[in-house]
C-alpha cells in the first residue's frame, strides 16, 4: 500500500496533516530526517505509516514505558502487528516478542533506549530486516534540554553498527541548540530537517485576574468542561491538594500529582488519569513528561508559571487529538509577588536574575494583555503570527478597557500617605481609608486625617480591591509576601505625576452558566446530538473497560462527535467517519450503529 492508502484504510483519516506528508516522503526515500512538530502534530504517523509501507520491522526508541504501551494498544486496535520490549515485561512475554521480531512478524517494535543498546539486542538487529529507526522524543539526547536522558547518548551506536538503515528523529522541542545536539549525537548531519509551525489552533487561550479563585475555577469547569478531563497546575503542592479536595467536594473526580507523593501513588494517579474519562489532575509542574493522553480538554493554571516557555509547554498538553480545548490562566498579585521573591532571594548571579525577571515580566504582560494571546505567544517564539486569531478570549470578546489613571493616582497616593515611618498596610486598609470608613485601625493611626480619606467613595469596594491587585500586577506597588502590605515602587511616580496614563481591563464577570452552555452547543451540535454523544461515550467507556484500554484508543472524541453529528446508519456511512479504518469498521460498526439507531428511535427528530 502507499502511505495515503495506509492513512485511509488503516487509520480511517482522509488527509495528512501538517508536516506528515513531507516527513513520510523523506523516510520512504530512505533519507535520514529530523522532524520538529508541535504536540498533537501527528508525529506517530510519521514513522508508523512508513513502517507499514516498507519491508521489515521499524524499531522505535521511546523513553517511557507508559508511552510505548499506549502506542502498542492503539496500533493493535488498528489491527497492526506491534509490540514493545522493556524491562518490566515478564520473561515469557519477552521471549514471545523476541520470537515474533526474529521471524519478521512485527511491523513495529518499541524499545527503551537502554534495551536498544545492549549487545544482545544489537546482535539480533543484525539478523533481522529493519526498515528504519525512529527516535521519539529525540530532545532527550540533548544535555541542554529539560528531559535529558543519559541512555539516549548511547544511541549513536545504532548508527555505527547499522549506517545503512534510515533514522527518523522526532521532537516537539525546537530550539536551535537542542536541534544541533540531536543531529550531532545521532550522527545524522545529513538529515533533512523539517520544521512545523508551533501554533496549536485547536486550543483557545484565555487569562483572568483572580478574584474568588475557587468560584472562578468552578465556573470555568462547570460551564465548559463539566464531564471532561483536564489538568490544573498550581505553584505549590499544598495548593494542588487544596484544589483537589475542593473539586472532590463538588463531585468531581479530582486527583493530585506532585513530587511530595511517593512514586507508587504518583504512578497510580497518572494511570487513572490516562485510562479514565472525566478525571481532573491537580498538580505542580512535576506532572509533565509522559502525559500521553490525547483527550485532555483543558489546562488551567491557578498560578502564574515562571516563563512563557513553561506556560506554552504546559498548556500544550491540552487537545493533542485536535479537538477544541481550553488553556486558561488565572493570575494574581500574590503569585507574581511570590515569583518575584523567588528570583530576588535566589543565589543565582545577577545576570541570571535579570533574565528571569525579564521572563516573568513577559508572562505578566501576556496575562494582562488586551490583544490577541496567540499572537503574543507565537511572536515570543519568533513565529509569524496574524494579529488576531478568533480563538482566544480577547479575540472572541474584545475586552473593554477604561481610563483608570485618576483612580490609580488616588490609590497610590493613599498608599504613599498611609505607609511610612516603618508602618505599612495591606489593600483592605487602604481601601477602607479611600472609602472613608471608621474603624479601630483607622482611629489608631489617625488615618481619618489623611488628605486621601474618603476620596474614593464614588467607587464600590470590590473595584478598589481589584485596582489594588492591578497596581501590584502592573508593578506600581510592591507587596510584601508575608503580610501582604503595600509600598510604592519607582514606577508609581510617573502615574502620580500625571506623566503616564493607566488603562485597565474591566473585570470580566463569568457569564451566567446557562447562557454559556447554550452558546457552546450552538457552535458544535444541536442539543439532541449531545445526548447521542453522551450515549456513544458511555458505550465507548464500556468497551474500553472490557479490554482494559483507555477509551480514546477505541475512538477519539473527534470521531464520536462526528458520529453524533452525521448519525451514520449503514456500515458504508460509518466507514466515512474520521478515525474509522478497516479494522475498527469490522470490530465496532455494529455496536455503534445499533446505539445510533436506538437513539434516533428513542428521540425522533422534529
Ligand atoms: P504527537 O505525537 O505529535 O503529539 P500524535 O501522533 O499523538 O501527535 O497525534 C495526535 C492526534 O492526531 C492523534 O489523536 C492522531 O490519531 C491524530 N492524527 C494524526 N494524524 C492525523 C491525520 N492525518 N488526520 C486526522 N487525525 C490525525
Ligand atoms: Zn487571538
Amino acid at each position: 500500500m502507499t502511505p495515503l492508502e495506509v492513512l485511509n484504510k488503516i487509520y480511517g483519516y482522509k488527509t495528512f496533516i501538517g508536516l506528515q506528508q513531507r516527513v513520510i516522503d523523506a523516510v520512504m526515500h530512505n533519507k535520514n530526517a529530523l522532524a520538529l512538530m508541535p504536540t498533537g502534530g501527528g508525529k506517530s504517523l510519521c514513522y508508523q505509516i512508513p513502517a507499514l509501507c516498507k519491508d521489515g520491522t521499524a524499531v522505535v526508541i521511546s523513553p517511557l514505558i507508559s508511552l510505548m504501551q499506549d502506542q502498542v494498544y492503539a496500533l493493535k486496535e488498528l489491527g497492526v502487528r506491534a509490540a514493545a520490549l522493556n524491562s518490566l515485561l515478564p520473561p515469557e512475554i519477552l521471549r514471545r516478542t523476541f520470537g515474533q521480531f526474529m521471524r519478521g512478524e512485527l511491523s513495529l517494535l518499541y524499545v527503551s533506549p537502554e534495551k536498544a543498546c545492549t549487545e544482545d539486542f544489537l546482535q539480533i538487529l543484525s539478523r533481522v530486516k529493519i526498515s528504519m529507526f525512529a527516535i521519539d522524543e529525540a530532545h532527550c539526547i540533548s544535555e541542554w534540554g529539560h528531559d535529558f536522558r543519559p541512555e539516549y547518548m548511547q544511541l549513536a551506536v545504532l548508527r555505527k553498527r547499522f549506517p545503512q538503515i534510515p533514522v527518523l528523529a522526532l521532537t516537539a522541542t525546537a530550539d536551535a541548540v537542542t536541534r544541533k545536539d540531536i543531529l550531532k549525537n545521532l550522527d545524522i548531519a545529513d538529515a533533512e530537517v523539517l520544521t512545523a509551525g508551533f501554533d496549536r489552533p485547536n486550543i483557545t487561550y484565555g487569562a483572568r485576574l483572580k478574584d474568588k479563585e475557587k468560584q472562578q475555577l468552578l465556573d470555568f469547569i462547570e460551564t465548559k468542561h463539566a464531564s471532561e478531563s483536564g489538568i490544573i497546575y498550581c505553584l505549590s503542592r499544598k495548593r494542588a491538594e487544596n484544589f483537589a479536595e475542593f473539586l472532590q467536594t463538588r463531585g468531581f473526580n479530582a486527583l493530585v500529582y506532585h513530587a511530595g507523593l511517593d512514586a507508587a501513588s504518583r504512578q497510580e494517579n497518572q494511570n487513572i488519569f490516562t485510562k479514565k474519562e472525566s478525571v481532573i489532575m491537580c498538580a505542580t509542574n512535576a506532572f509533565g513528561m509522559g502525559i500521553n493522553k490525547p483527550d485532555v480538554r483543558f489546562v488551567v493554571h491557578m498560578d502564574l508559571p515562571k516563563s512563557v516557555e513553561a506556560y506554552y509547554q504546559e498548556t500544550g498538553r491540552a487537545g493533542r487529538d485536535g479537538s477544541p480545548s481550553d488553556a486558561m490562566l488565572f493570575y494574581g498579585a500574590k503569585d507574581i509577588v511570590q515569583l518575584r521573591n523567588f528570583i530576588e532571594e535566589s543565589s543565582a548571579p545577577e545576570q541570571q536574575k535579570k533574565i528571569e525577571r525579564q521572563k516573568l515580566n513577559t508572562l505578566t504582560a501576556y496575562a494582562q494583555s488586551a490583544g490577541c494571546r496567540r499572537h503574543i505567544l507565537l511572536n515570543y517564539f519568533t513565529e509569524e503570527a496574524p494579529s488576531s486569531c478568533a480563538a482566544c478570549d480577547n479575540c472572541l470578546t474584545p475586552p473593554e478597557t477604561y481610563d483608570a489613571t485618576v483612580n490609580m493616582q488616588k490609590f497610590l497616593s493613599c498608599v504613599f500617605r498611609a505607609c511610612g515611618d516603618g508602618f505599612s498596610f495591606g489593600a483592605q486598609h487602604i481601601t477602607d481609608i479611600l472609602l472613608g470608613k471608621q474603624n479601630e485601625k483607622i482611629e489608631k493611626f489617625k488615618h481619618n486625617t489623611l488628605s486621601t480619606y474618603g476620596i474614593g467613595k464614588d467607587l464600590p469596594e470590590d473595584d478598589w480591591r481589584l485596582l489594588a491587585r492591578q497596581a501590584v500586577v502592573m508593578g506600581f506597588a510592591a507587596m510584601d509576601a508575608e503580610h501582604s502590605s503595600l509600598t510604592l515602587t519607582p514606577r508609581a511616580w510617573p502615574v502620580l505625576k500625571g506623566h503616564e496614563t493607566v488603562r485597565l481591563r474591566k473585570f470580566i464577570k463569568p457569564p451566567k452558566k446557562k447562557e454559556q452552555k447554550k452558546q457552546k452547543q450552538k457552535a458544535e451540535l444541536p442539543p439532541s446530538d449531545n445526548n447521542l454523544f453522551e450515549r456513544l461515550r458511555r458505550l465507548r467507556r464500556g468497551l474500553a473497560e472490557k479490554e482494559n484500554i483507555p477509551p480514546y484508543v477505541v475512538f477519539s472524541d473527534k470521531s464520536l462527535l462526528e458520529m453524533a453529528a452525521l448519525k451514520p446508519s449503514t456500515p458504508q456511512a460509518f466507514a466515512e467517519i474520521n478515525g474509522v479504518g478497516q479494522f475498527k469498521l469490522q470490530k465496532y460498526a455494529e455496536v455503534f450503529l445499533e446505539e445510533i439507531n436506538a437513539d434516533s428511535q428513542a428521540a425522533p427528530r422534529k
Side-chain angles (χ1 to χ4, degrees):
M1 279 196 275
T2 65
L4 187 60
E5 283 166 349
V6 172
L7 183 77
N8 299 153
K9 298 213 169 101
I10 311 278
Y11 291 86
Y13 297 145
K14 299 205 166 53
T15 49
F16 286 113
I17 52 172
L19 274 188
Q20 283 176 332
Q21 174 93 62
R22 288 171 59 202
V23 179
I24 291 171
D25 275 352
V27 182
M28 290 304 290
H29 287 97
N30 289 324
K31 288 189 197 151
N32 293 324
L34 167 59
L36 305 150
M37 296 159 77
T39 309
K43 280 187 282 300
S44 339
L45 266 60
C46 292
Y47 57 83
Q48 290 175 358
I49 289 186
L52 293 170
C53 295
K54 287 166 149 241
D55 280 342
T57 307
V59 173
V60 184
I61 316 291
S62 173
L64 289 177
I65 293 174
S66 57
L67 292 187
M68 287 185 206
Q69 212 50 58
D70 288 350
Q71 297 267 356
V72 172
Y73 284 143
L75 285 166
K76 287 194 169 154
E77 273 291 290
L78 298 173
V80 172
R81 288 166 312 168
L85 280 181
N86 61 61
S87 43
L88 290 189
L89 294 171
E92 68 274 15
I93 303 256
L94 274 179
R95 219 169 311 127
R96 199 182 67 203
T97 306
F98 268 118
Q100 291 172 325
F101 179 42
M102 288 162 77
R103 290 192 297 276
E105 292 170 6
L106 297 174
S107 298
L108 291 112
L109 178 70
Y110 287 79
V111 202
S112 61
E114 52 276 17
K115 194 106 203 159
C117 300
T118 58
E119 189 50 41
D120 282 358
F121 189 72
L122 293 170
Q123 287 288 336
I124 297 176
L125 282 184
S126 62
R127 281 183 274 143
V128 180
K129 186 163 176 49
I130 305 298
S131 58
M132 66 184 293
F133 292 121
I135 319 280
D136 205 4
E137 312 286 350
H139 58 278
C140 292
I141 206 166
S142 171
E143 284 177 90
W144 175 262
H146 44 282
D147 293 326
F148 175 57
R149 297 256 176 155
E151 315 88 82
Y152 260 65
M153 287 296 238
Q154 297 168 16
L155 292 174
V157 73
L158 292 176
R159 290 283 300 146
K160 280 221 181 67
R161 299 275 283 263
F162 307 99
Q164 74 290 359
I165 299 177
V167 172
L168 170 61
L170 307 118
T171 176
T173 308
D175 65 80
V177 195
T178 310
R179 190 185 312 186
K180 247 169 67 192
D181 275 359
I182 296 174
L183 296 176
K184 185 176 108 222
N185 296 345
L186 285 176
D187 189 22
I188 46 169
D190 62 337
E192 195 165 328
V193 179
L194 298 146
T195 317
F198 274 73
D199 186 18
R200 298 291 310 280
N202 60 315
I203 300 182
T204 301
Y205 295 91
R208 298 257 189 292
L209 192 61
K210 276 187 267 192
D211 183 34
K212 296 177 178 115
E213 57 174 15
K214 285 195 169 140
Q215 193 54 46
Q216 285 175 305
L217 174 64
L218 200 62
D219 286 340
F220 171 77
I221 299 178
E222 285 185 338
T223 45
K224 291 192 83 179
H225 300 286
S227 58
E228 297 174 332
S229 292
I231 307 174
I232 296 175
Y233 278 113
C234 309
L235 209 53
S236 72
R237 299 172 185 183
K238 185 97 207 112
R239 276 172 64 75
E241 284 170 5
N242 284 345
F243 282 113
E245 262 169 47
F246 168 69
L247 290 173
Q248 283 157 9
T249 62
R250 299 307 174 100
F252 292 95
N253 186 4
L255 300 172
V256 186
Y257 192 108
H258 57 62
L261 298 177
D262 59 85
S265 322
R266 279 202 311 253
Q267 190 57 48
E268 189 189 338
N269 287 355
Q270 176 162 347
N271 279 346
I272 299 173
F273 181 70
T274 330
K275 290 252 167 78
K276 295 254 147 75
E277 289 175 308
S278 319
V279 181
I280 300 176
M281 185 68 97
C282 300
T284 62
N285 61 5
F287 189 56
M289 172 95 158
I291 310 168
N292 194 27
K293 190 177 172 64
D295 55 351
V296 175
R297 291 274 76 88
F298 61 95
V299 171
V300 172
H301 282 76
M302 288 313 297
D303 304 295
L304 209 67
K306 285 196 185 92
S307 64
V308 176
E309 287 97 328
Y311 182 65
Y312 201 62
Q313 197 181 32
E314 284 162 10
T315 55
R317 295 180 181 132
R320 289 183 60 154
D321 57 5
S323 291
S325 308
D326 272 288
M328 177 56 88
L329 168 65
F330 290 107
Y331 64 102
K334 276 220 173 106
D335 28 307
I336 294 172
V337 169
Q338 203 178 342
L339 287 167
R340 279 182 192 152
N341 286 346
F342 282 157
I343 298 173
E344 299 315 325
E345 287 160 11
S346 89
S347 53
E350 180 53 29
Q351 187 57 26
Q352 177 77 27
K353 286 189 184 182
K354 212 169 138 187
I355 295 171
E356 292 190 2
R357 265 180 228 129
Q358 185 57 42
K359 286 188 169 187
L360 179 58
N361 289 343
T362 312
L363 193 56
T364 317
Y366 166 82
Q368 295 178 84
S369 167
C372 175
R373 307 229 187 247
R374 189 178 311 274
H375 180 78
I376 302 176
L377 290 171
L378 293 178
N379 239 18
Y380 183 83
F381 296 110
T382 62
E383 193 165 304
E384 290 283 315
S387 55
S388 75
C389 74
C392 74
D393 55 351
N394 289 342
C395 287
L396 289 170
T397 343
E400 281 181 67
T401 59
Y402 68 102
D403 187 340
T405 313
V406 174
N407 287 341
M408 191 57 88
Q409 284 169 337
K410 285 182 182 173
F411 183 81
L412 296 174
S413 113
C414 192
V415 173
F416 178 66
R417 278 164 226 281
C419 307
D421 302 330
F423 291 105
S424 58
F425 302 90
Q428 184 60 52
H429 184 67
I430 303 296
T431 303
D432 288 347
I433 302 172
L434 286 164
L435 291 172
K437 285 197 187 169
Q438 289 177 333
N439 63 34
E440 224 173 282
K441 206 164 170 184
I442 285 182
E443 302 275 318
K444 180 172 162 200
F445 290 97
K446 300 210 167 56
H447 282 162
N448 43 10
T449 63
L450 295 179
S451 60
T452 50
Y453 183 71
I455 60 168
K457 284 184 179 157
D458 53 335
L459 210 62
E461 182 162 346
D462 276 352
D463 289 26
W464 283 118
R465 276 193 316 145
L466 188 68
L467 193 99
R469 274 183 238 139
Q470 286 167 316
V472 176
V473 169
M474 297 180 91
F476 302 138
M479 185 166 72
D480 171 273
E482 201 179 335
H483 303 105
S484 303
S485 53
L486 299 167
T487 44
L488 295 192
T489 70
R491 287 206 49 206
W493 295 105
V495 178
L496 282 168
K497 289 188 184 143
H499 299 329
E500 186 178 329
T501 52
V502 180
R503 288 202 75 82
L504 290 180
R505 336 168 31 120
K506 282 197 177 151
F507 190 61
I508 308 163
K509 290 216 172 60
K512 294 260 180 310
K513 278 177 208 165
K514 277 194 189 132
E515 269 170 39
Q516 258 205 6
K517 262 212 179 115
K518 251 193 233 144
Q519 276 174 9
K520 190 187 171 194
Q521 283 175 344
K522 224 187 274 160
E524 282 167 11
L525 300 165
S528 55
D529 295 334
N530 266 345
N531 293 338
L532 176 56
F533 178 64
E534 286 307 322
R535 270 183 96 135
L536 296 175
R537 270 181 83 177
R538 269 199 302 278
L539 173 66
R540 175 177 71 174
R541 196 177 310 138
L543 293 166
E545 266 166 23
K546 233 188 270 164
E547 298 199 36
N548 195 22
I549 51 176
Y552 60 78
V553 170
V554 177
F555 280 120
S556 68
D557 283 358
K558 218 178 184 166
S559 300
L560 292 197
L561 279 169
E562 220 178 288
M563 289 178 209
L566 300 177
K567 304 176 194 82
S569 56
T570 62
Q572 290 75 7
F574 192 74
E576 288 299 307
I577 300 288
N578 224 303
V580 179
Q582 288 168 341
F583 197 75
K584 287 190 179 174
L585 179 65
Q586 285 217 340
K587 187 165 176 187
Y588 294 122
E590 199 175 328
V591 272
F592 277 86
L593 286 172
E594 222 168 75
E595 193 72 26
I596 294 165
N597 186 33
D599 180 71
S600 67
Q601 305 217 326
R605 309 271 169 274
K606 278 170 206 146

